[in-house]
């Protein structure tokens, strides 16, 4: 166990920069974790011993004075002077790089215009240029990592509130989120959208927990973990965060790519790389400041576009007589929030999607958000009082948005089922594939709604993906810069307000590396839902060390002292390693054993030609390659049958593909390494996921409390030893008194004799 008897060494107070001056004034006389009332009392008692501001505040030459930066935003300064001051503060190299990247964006837009590309390319490049324009800043580390704090938002609390509300809402409404909510809406109805929205309760819980951490004096989550659980826990947490951010890249670019072509086609891959490069470019320039301002624009645009699409869907349902007839014959409701995709299945049951909703509540409320610095970094902006209310409203907006987007999938299932039944005409699909429409694919449902709404949905996907990716890249820069680089050079993560030019450079290099490596998994065509469910299953162990330490003071003063006044690595590492191990086993159990990305890359994508026989040969070769490589899944069977039908319609000649032949042997190729069916809860599709998460969350909390029991047992045994020692002393004292009394009596007897 940890050596808890040693007093914790107080970390040296940094004396440079705005952040250090603020922290030294507020916390120099009391350790972290001390209640604010005690800090104030301690500060007053030691006020005379504090050095003056002029002795402690040293502004590094690499960054401008915080006071000058704050004057730039002061409402008392005329707008003209503010603009001039701002332009003077921009560094020449930064200024040149900014305009060079803007020029590249404009050239890309002009090229798309001249080549008369599909309109989705116009949206992607044009919107990218707008986001690049918002990336301008003063180029200082403070603005790059922490553009909003209590000082420069003190007189602008309304601005800070709405900026934090928008960014907390939109930074977590990812492209994969709305894609998954639409698919789940098609599968489970309104419960599907609610199920995915349940993860967003984590936005509010993050705000509440960070509020209590900030009351204890912390300036970031890595700072808290390093202080309470030691350097090893801090490094483990940082690596976990980087793994999460790596997954965010491919899982969002893949959703944009689906609007630009067939999976793994040239246009599909090009769209994925460009949608990664655009946010990476403007985040390289402006850091979190660029991310915040683009988030505000993206939030407003996403809400407006979704409302237009929703009203069009309700209009189409009421005006489509064939669809009304089909729903009436099937005994199904035409209301989006009452429609049940599977007749006879209880919508509000574990089989109806509640298993995934409960899983989302477990992950979202207890652990999932803690490994996403795209959200937690924002919870340390502005004042903690403004932040907690902004995050509460942002959580409500995010849950409402995801639920409403799920109705797009509900409508797709309605229309697709009607067309498959023969009641509705194929013309209602406007050329979309009926299978994709029924499954709730946003791109297919957008096609069915009509060209203009396909464009709107495409723009919604683009805005949500870019907002998530720029938040991801700004988080990558902070994790590798002030957190990891600060840890390696100073022995602890440094305050982002005290970051240096080297931290900015390291962060920019990390953005480029994560952007490139994070897009490479698209060569394997992974499932975007796994980026949420699988990674979320690996980190329930992060929850107890964070929320128990944050709320410990509310439980009892004695318990708070045990887990907040000493560095205890075991309290973090034990529950984390348990959940990470269980999540890894779950990931192995849910993946194909024999298939690897390199094997898939060797199976060339079929090429269409004028001869049906040539196309059939190409597809036969392709599917045979996937089977031989050990990469045949149920999705391949569905895709194979779809291509077989398409080829038949293409030339009017049948094309027999090996979609069903020897299917049993193909399924046997994918026996998993382990079996976790014993963890199942209920009979729903996500019964195993729910069971594993429940075991992981409960087990992590139990192990955290088990590690805490060392303190209870130590205290108990110390008390027993103390009682035994006191009894021994009392007995010895009694024996001494007794012996003295006997000796005295014997002496008196001898005297009488």
């Amino acid at each position: 166990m940890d050596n808890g008897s040693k007093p914790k060494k107080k970390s040296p107070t940094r004396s440079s920069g705005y952040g250090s001056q603020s922290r030294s004034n507020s916390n120099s006389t009391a350790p972290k974790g001390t209640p604010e009332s005690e800090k104030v009392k301690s500060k007053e008692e030691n006020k005379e011993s504090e050095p003056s501001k002029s002795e402690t505040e040293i502004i590094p030459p690499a960054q401008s004075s915080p006071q000058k930066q704050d004057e730039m935003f002061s409402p008392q300064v005329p707008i003209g002077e503010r603009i001039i001051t701002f332009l003077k503060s921009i560094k020449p190299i930064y200024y040149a790089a900014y305009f060079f990247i803007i020029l590249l964006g404009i050239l890309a837009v002009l090229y798309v215009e001249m080549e008369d590309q599909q309109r989705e390319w116009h949206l992607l490049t044009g919107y990218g240029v707008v986001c690049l324009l918002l990336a301008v800043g003063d180029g200082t580390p403070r603005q790059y990592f922490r553009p909003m704090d209590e000082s420069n938002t003190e007189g602008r609390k309304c601005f800070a509130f709405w900026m934090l509300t928008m960014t907390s809402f939109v930074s977590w409404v990812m492209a994969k989120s709305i894609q998954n909510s639409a698919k789940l809406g098609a599968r489970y109805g309104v419960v599907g959208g609610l199920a995915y929205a349940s993860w967003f309760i984590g936005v509010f819980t993050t705000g509440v927990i960070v509020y209590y951490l900030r009351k204890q004096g912390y300036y970031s989550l890595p700072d808290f973990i390093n202080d309470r659980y030691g350097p090893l826990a801090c490094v483990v947490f940082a690596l976990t965060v980087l793994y999460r951010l790596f997954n965010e890249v491919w899982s969002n670019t893949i959703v944009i790519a689906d609007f630009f072509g067939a999976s793994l086609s040239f246009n599909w891959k090009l769209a994925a790389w460009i949608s990664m490069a655009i946010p990476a470019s403007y985040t390289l320039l402006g850091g979190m400041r660029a991310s915040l301002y683009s988030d505000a624009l993206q939030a407003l645009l996403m809400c407006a576009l979704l409302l237009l699409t929703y009203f069009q869907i309700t209009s189409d349902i009421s005006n489509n007589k064939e669809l009304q007839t089909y729903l009436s014959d099937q005994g199904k409701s035409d209301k989006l929030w009452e429609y049940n995709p599977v007749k006879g299945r209880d919508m509000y049951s574990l089989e109806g999607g509640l298993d995934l909703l409960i899983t989302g509540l477990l992950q979202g409320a207890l652990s999932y958000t803690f490994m996403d610095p795209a959200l937690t970094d924002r919870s340390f902006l502005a004042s903690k009082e403004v932040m907690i209310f902004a995050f509460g409203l942002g959580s409500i907006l995010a849950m409402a948005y995801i639920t409403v987007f799920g109705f797009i999938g509900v409508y797709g299932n309605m229309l697709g089922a009607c067309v498959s039944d023969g009641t509705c005409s194929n013309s209602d699909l406007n050329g979309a594939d009926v299978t994709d429409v029924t499954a709730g694919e946003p791109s297919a449902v957008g096609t069915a709604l009509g060209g203009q709404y396909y464009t709107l949905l495409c723009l919604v996907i683009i805005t949500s993906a870019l907002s998530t990716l720029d938040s991801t890249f700004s988080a990558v820069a902070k994790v590798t810069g002030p957190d990891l680089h600060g840890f390696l050079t100073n022995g602890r993560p440094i305050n982002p307000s005290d970051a240096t030019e080297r931290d900015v450079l390291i962060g920019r290099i990390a953005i480029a590396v994560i952007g490139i490596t994070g897009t490479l998994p698209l060569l394997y065509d992974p499932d975007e839902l796994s980026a949420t469910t699988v990674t979320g299953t690996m980190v329930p162990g992060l929850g107890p060390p964070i929320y128990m330490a944050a709320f410990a003071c509310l439980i009892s003063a004695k318990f708070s002292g045990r887990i907040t006044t000493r560095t205890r690595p075991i309290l973090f590492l034990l529950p984390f390693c348990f959940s990470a191990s269980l999540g890894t086993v779950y990931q192995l159990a849910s993946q194909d054993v024999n298939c690897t990305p390199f094997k898939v890359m060797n199976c060339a994508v079929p090429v269409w030609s004028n001869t049906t026989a040539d196309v059939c040969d190409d597809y036969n070769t392709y599917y045979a390659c996937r089977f031989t490589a050990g990469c045949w899944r149920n999705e391949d069977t569905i895709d194979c049958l779809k291509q077989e039908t398409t080829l038949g319609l293409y030339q009017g000649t049948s094309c027999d593909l090996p979609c069903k032949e020897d299917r049993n042997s193909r399924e046997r190729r994918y026996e998993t390494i382990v079996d976790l069916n014993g963890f199942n809860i209920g009979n729903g599709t996500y019964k195993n996921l729910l069971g594993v998460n429940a075991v992981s969350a409960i087990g992590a909390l139990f192990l955290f409390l088990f590690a805490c029991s060392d303190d209870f047992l130590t205290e108990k045994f110390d008390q027993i030893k103390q009682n035994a020692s006191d009894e021994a002393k009392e007995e010895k004292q009694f024996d001494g008194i007794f012996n003295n009394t006997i000796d005295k009596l014997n002496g008196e007897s001898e005297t009488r004799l």
Side-chain angles (χ1 to χ4, degrees):
M1 286 294 178
D2 307 307
N3 188 4
S5 59
K6 295 180 180 180
K8 187 172 64 175
K9 185 186 291 184
K10 186 177 179 181
S11 60
T13 302
R14 295 180 297 280
S15 60
S16 61
Y18 168 81
S20 59
Q21 184 245 333
S22 175
R23 286 180 60 80
S24 64
N25 284 348
S26 61
N27 296 325
S28 60
T29 59
K32 292 179 185 178
T34 305
E36 287 191 335
S37 59
E38 295 183 17
K39 290 181 187 176
V40 174
K41 181 179 179 182
S42 177
K43 178 181 175 182
E44 292 175 351
E45 291 174 352
N46 297 276
K47 188 173 182 179
E48 295 182 359
S49 63
E50 289 185 357
S52 64
K53 180 179 179 181
S54 60
E55 295 174 335
T56 60
E57 184 175 2
I58 303 175
I59 304 299
Q63 63 187 73
S64 59
S65 168
Q67 285 78 7
K68 291 182 180 179
Q69 293 180 23
D70 296 338
E71 289 173 4
M72 216 181 291
F73 300 98
S74 175
Q76 285 76 26
V77 179
I79 184 67
E81 294 183 18
R82 278 189 276 171
I83 294 175
I84 294 173
T85 305
F86 173 71
L87 291 176
K88 287 181 178 179
S89 69
I90 299 178
K91 301 177 182 178
I93 296 179
Y94 174 85
Y95 193 77
Y98 173 75
F99 279 102
F100 176 73
I101 293 180
I102 291 293
L103 179 61
L104 290 180
I106 294 174
L107 290 176
V109 173
L110 293 175
Y111 174 80
V112 170
E113 290 288 343
M114 289 186 296
E115 292 296 320
D116 195 24
Q117 297 289 333
Q118 64 189 87
R119 56 189 164 191
E120 289 76 28
W121 289 109
H122 294 263
L123 295 175
L124 183 58
T125 55
Y127 187 74
V129 170
V130 173
C131 291
L132 286 169
L133 290 171
L134 294 174
V136 65
D138 62 9
T140 59
R142 184 187 183 215
Q143 285 291 308
Y144 195 86
F145 292 112
R146 183 144 294 178
M148 291 172 54
D149 55 29
E150 294 192 46
S151 67
N152 59 23
T153 58
E154 182 62 33
R156 303 184 303 156
K157 291 186 178 180
C158 183
F159 167 80
F161 172 79
W162 285 110
M163 184 64 78
L164 276 182
T165 298
M166 294 300 178
T167 193
S168 65
F169 154 48
V170 78
S171 63
W172 236 43
V173 176
M174 311 164 191
K176 67 169 185 177
S177 302
I178 56 182
Q179 174 99 329
N180 290 332
S181 67
K183 291 181 177 180
L184 292 170
R187 187 181 302 176
Y188 299 112
V190 67
V191 176
L194 289 171
Y196 207 87
S198 63
W199 265 274
F200 291 81
I201 190 68
V203 177
F204 175 66
T205 58
T206 296
V208 173
I209 289 171
V210 171
Y211 174 83
Y212 283 100
L213 294 182
R214 291 179 66 176
K215 286 185 70 174
Q216 297 175 35
Y218 295 105
Y219 48 71
S220 69
L221 208 52
D223 174 45
F224 157 73
I225 291 174
N226 181 77
D227 188 64
R228 288 288 167 255
Y229 305 115
L232 179 59
C234 182
V235 172
V236 169
F237 175 75
L239 295 178
T240 303
V241 161
L242 287 175
Y243 173 69
R244 154 76 179 181
L245 296 173
F246 169 84
N247 279 315
E248 284 305 303
V249 178
W250 65 260
S251 63
N252 282 280
T253 55
I254 190 176
V255 182
I256 292 182
D258 287 340
F259 278 84
F260 289 82
S263 179
L264 299 178
S265 65
F266 175 77
N267 279 352
W268 187 88
K269 293 178 182 177
L270 182 62
W273 283 101
I274 291 178
S275 62
M276 176 278 295
I278 289 173
S281 298
Y282 66 78
T283 310
L284 274 168
L285 286 172
M288 182 178 281
R289 184 186 185 281
S291 177
L292 288 175
Y293 280 90
S294 62
D295 282 352
L297 171 66
Q298 289 155 350
L300 296 174
L301 192 59
M302 286 168 55
C303 291
L305 296 177
L306 180 61
L307 287 176
L308 289 174
T309 306
Y310 174 77
F311 290 135
Q312 179 61 33
I313 286 175
T314 56
S315 175
D316 284 358
I317 292 175
S318 60
N319 294 330
N320 192 329
K321 303 302 180 184
E322 291 81 8
L323 180 59
Q324 292 288 337
T325 301
Y326 167 77
L327 294 174
S328 178
D329 293 342
Q330 295 293 320
K332 296 182 178 181
S333 174
D334 63 347
K335 293 180 174 57
L336 292 170
W337 55 88
E338 294 179 358
Y339 174 79
N340 189 352
V342 179
K343 186 178 180 180
R345 182 185 65 189
D346 186 2
M347 289 179 63
Y348 300 98
S349 64
L350 292 178
E351 294 80 2
L354 287 184
D355 51 358
L356 187 62
L357 189 148
I358 298 172
T359 301
L361 290 175
L362 281 173
Q363 289 190 4
L366 299 180
S367 62
Y368 192 77
T369 55
F370 302 141
M371 70 166 178
D372 189 358
L375 183 66
T376 57
D377 288 351
R378 284 156 169 74
S379 61
F380 287 89
L381 300 177
S383 67
K384 56 184 178 294
E385 293 80 13
V386 170
M387 178 276 300
I388 191 171
F389 286 105
F391 269 55
L393 181 56
S395 179
I396 294 172
L397 291 175
M399 288 190 287
Y401 189 92
I402 291 297
T403 303
V404 172
F405 204 95
F407 291 146
I408 292 176
V410 175
Y411 170 70
N413 188 272
M414 278 185 185
L415 184 61
C418 182
V419 172
S420 299
D421 182 69
T423 305
C424 293
S425 172
N426 280 320
S427 61
D428 291 339
L429 299 177
N430 290 322
D433 183 81
V434 64
T435 304
D436 291 340
V437 173
T438 307
E441 289 279 355
S443 57
V445 178
T447 301
L449 285 170
Q452 66 273 27
Y453 289 98
Y454 178 86
T455 302
L456 288 180
L457 281 179
C458 180
L459 190 54
V460 169
I461 294 291
I462 289 173
T463 54
S464 61
L466 296 190
S467 70
T468 301
L469 288 170
D470 64 39
S471 302
T472 297
F473 290 134
S474 65
V476 167
K478 176 184 168 293
V479 170
T480 55
D483 291 345
L484 282 177
H485 178 248
F487 176 83
L488 294 175
T489 56
N490 298 302
R492 62 177 305 139
I494 65 173
N495 191 330
S497 297
D498 297 334
T500 64
E501 295 287 354
R502 178 169 292 184
D503 293 318
V504 175
L505 176 61
I506 292 173
R508 285 171 171 161
I509 294 173
I511 289 173
V513 172
I514 289 291
I516 294 171
T517 57
T519 311
L520 290 177
L522 293 180
L523 298 174
Y524 180 45
D525 191 19
D527 178 15
E528 63 273 6
L529 182 59
S530 65
T532 299
T533 56
V534 175
T535 56
T537 302
M538 299 179 71
V539 292
L542 285 179
I546 295 175
Y547 64 71
M548 291 298 287
F551 296 146
C553 56
L554 301 179
I555 299 174
S556 73
K558 184 179 290 187
F559 183 71
S560 175
R562 291 191 179 100
I563 66 174
T564 61
T565 58
R566 295 190 296 157
T567 300
R568 300 292 308 278
I570 193 68
L571 295 183
F572 180 91
L573 296 174
L574 187 61
F576 174 80
C577 290
F578 165 74
S579 294
S581 300
L582 185 58
T584 302
V585 172
Y586 174 80
Q587 189 171 19
L588 292 173
S590 60
Q591 287 189 346
D592 302 329
V593 177
N594 304 317
C595 186
T596 64
F598 298 101
K599 291 181 178 180
V600 178
M601 290 170 61
N602 293 326
C603 301
V605 179
V607 178
W608 280 75
S609 66
N610 294 327
T611 307
T612 305
D614 292 341
V615 181
C616 283
D617 289 341
D618 270 4
Y619 272 97
N620 269 301
T621 302
Y622 171 70
Y623 289 123
C625 177
R626 288 189 68 91
F627 170 66
T628 304
C631 297
W632 191 272
R633 302 171 297 175
N634 184 53
E635 289 80 0
D636 290 290
T637 301
I638 297 173
D639 181 66
C640 183
L641 292 171
K642 185 193 304 183
Q643 295 296 342
E644 191 176 65
T645 303
T646 303
L647 289 170
L649 296 173
Y650 175 61
Q651 290 286 354
T653 306
S654 63
C655 178
D656 295 327
L657 298 177
C659 303
K660 296 183 179 179
E661 297 176 7
D662 200 21
R663 185 177 175 186
N664 290 331
S665 65
R666 292 178 181 180
E667 290 177 347
R668 282 200 299 271
R669 296 179 71 85
Y670 287 96
E671 295 177 355
T672 55
I673 297 175
V674 294
D675 184 8
L676 296 178
N677 288 326
F679 289 80
N680 293 354
I681 296 179
N683 297 312
T685 305
Y686 298 99
K687 55 184 179 292
N688 190 238
L689 180 67
L690 173 59
V692 171
N693 273 274
V695 171
S696 185
I698 296 172
L701 178 59
F702 172 79
L703 289 174
F704 178 84
L705 295 175
F706 174 74
C708 287
S709 67
D710 175 60
D711 285 337
F712 289 93
L713 294 176
T714 300
E715 180 183 355
K716 183 65 176 178
F717 289 137
D718 287 345
Q719 186 64 40
I720 292 174
K721 291 178 183 178
Q722 184 64 41
N723 292 338
S725 177
D726 292 343
E727 290 177 0
K729 289 180 180 179
E730 291 177 0
E731 184 176 352
K732 186 176 181 179
Q733 185 178 8
F734 175 79
D735 290 343
I737 295 173
F738 178 78
N739 292 332
N740 290 336
T741 302
I742 295 297
D743 291 342
K744 186 176 182 180
L745 292 175
N746 290 335
E748 292 177 354
S749 299
E750 292 176 358
T751 302
R752 290 186 187 132
L753 292 174

